[in-house]
Amino acid sequence: LRARLGAAPDAYRTHYARRLFEVLMGRPWAPEIEDELFALLPKLAGPDEPADGLVARVAALHRLTDLMVERRYEARMKGVERPDRLTRPELQKKQEESRRAAREGFADRLRKEAAKQPGPFTEWLKAERVWLDVTLDRDLPAAAADSWAVLAAPEPKPAPGDESAAVAARMDELLRARALAVLQNLAARKGADPALIDRLVKFVDAQIAAHPDAPRWRGEKYKLLIALDRPKELEAELVRWTAAADADSRWRVALGYLFAEQGKVADAIG
């Protein structure tokens, strides 16, 4: 397959690159295998399909992250001498250490790759690395900064009928959702930075104001206030959202549940 990929005309290179990628994904972990898989990512789509190509590369990246973390973990566990002689706590500790090392190693690899890959795909490599760092509880200020940078970038506005631009805009929307999820995770943690929380609440409020007919952002504010354990603010928002005669019924239900949880039974059934 490597030889065929190298000799293939342009029309067939994507086909052979995808076949080789799948074969290598089935191999045990080795540094050279991981190197080759990363080298294949830009070749999984042709230059004439930038938007659909990004979709293909991002999907492959998600699979690659999951698999390489697991394969790195397996490789490290193979180096543990006589695991059958370890006590359960000792084995569990080895497994936890190996899992963490696998995530750290691949997150560091993603950081290096992000500096080499061109175009919008770079941001997806960063997003994968950021999420691994968040699960590892490391470099959290940098994770927050990278996530804010994604949300601060201008939103693409595809022209009507431009399907390629529409796909690119959808991918951008998904990337923004990931960045928002990271910030919500950081804000909901015990001892979270008050400045980050305040900035996130203001950001969501600004989105609600900018998109008054989009139910998504009220949903994000609802989830955020629950995560921050702010029942009074949540009650005030729900009361405001349900004031109109044509208000979304789910907010009426949510307000009823909130009243009930606070012991305001009369308000809940009223």
Side-chain angles (χ1 to χ4, degrees):
L1 280 174
R2 292 186 181 101
R4 289 182 179 181
L5 174 60
D10 292 346
Y12 294 98
R13 284 183 181 175
T14 298
H15 168 73
Y16 284 119
R18 290 176 177 176
R19 285 186 60 187
L20 180 57
F21 186 86
E22 294 302 327
V23 169
L24 293 176
M25 287 283 278
R27 300 281 179 85
W29 184 83
E32 58 273 17
I33 295 295
E34 187 174 285
D35 290 345
E36 192 168 4
L37 283 165
F38 269 109
L40 284 169
L41 285 176
K43 302 175 183 178
L44 298 180
D48 57 337
E49 47 180 1
D52 290 337
L54 179 61
V55 174
R57 285 189 287 271
V58 169
L61 174 62
H62 290 165
R63 292 177 57 210
L64 183 63
T65 298
D66 291 343
L67 186 64
M68 290 299 101
V69 168
E70 188 62 27
R71 292 285 166 80
R72 280 172 173 257
Y73 165 77
E74 293 170 354
R76 291 189 67 89
M77 286 303 297
K78 285 182 179 179
V80 176
E81 295 184 8
R82 296 304 304 266
D84 56 309
R85 292 186 176 181
L86 298 176
T87 64
R88 286 187 179 181
E90 289 171 339
L91 180 59
Q92 183 178 7
K93 183 179 179 182
K94 289 288 186 183
Q95 290 170 335
E96 291 172 351
E97 290 172 348
S98 296
R99 184 75 65 188
R100 182 174 183 85
R103 288 172 175 165
E104 288 176 341
F106 197 71
D108 292 340
R109 178 62 190 267
L110 287 166
R111 186 187 297 276
K112 293 178 182 178
E113 290 297 324
K116 298 188 295 184
Q117 297 283 355
F121 189 54
T122 299
E123 296 303 322
W124 285 95
L125 289 160
K126 289 180 181 179
E128 289 291 283
R129 187 262 305 163
V130 163
W131 186 247
L132 284 174
D133 281 342
V134 168
T135 64
L136 291 164
D137 291 326
R138 72 169 193 171
D139 294 338
L140 298 184
D146 285 338
S147 299
W148 281 121
V150 170
L151 295 178
E155 294 186 38
K157 299 185 183 301
D162 189 337
E163 294 185 8
S164 180
V167 172
R170 178 56 180 157
M171 292 299 291
D172 181 80
E173 183 181 347
L174 293 173
L175 184 64
R176 290 172 185 274
R178 286 194 61 164
L180 181 62
V182 168
L183 294 169
Q184 290 169 331
N185 180 291
L186 297 177
R189 295 180 175 216
K190 184 178 180 180
D193 180 5
L196 183 147
I197 295 173
D198 183 62
R199 184 179 178 184
L200 184 56
V201 171
K202 289 180 178 178
F203 172 81
V204 175
D205 283 341
Q207 296 303 310
I208 293 174
H211 309 280
D213 297 326
R216 175 200 169 184
W217 290 107
R218 287 187 177 184
E220 297 293 355
K221 182 68 177 290
Y222 176 77
K223 291 187 296 183
L224 180 59
L225 292 178
I226 289 175
L228 296 175
D229 193 21
R230 296 183 176 181
K232 295 299 182 183
E233 291 183 40
L234 180 58
E235 180 181 333
E237 289 285 18
L238 289 173
V239 167
R240 187 162 60 85
W241 296 348
T242 56
D246 60 346
D248 191 327
S249 61
R250 63 174 165 164
W251 302 131
R252 299 185 192 278
V253 173
L255 181 59
Y257 279 126
L258 181 61
F259 280 145
E261 289 171 2
Q262 297 179 91
K264 301 177 181 179
V265 179
D267 290 328
I269 62 177

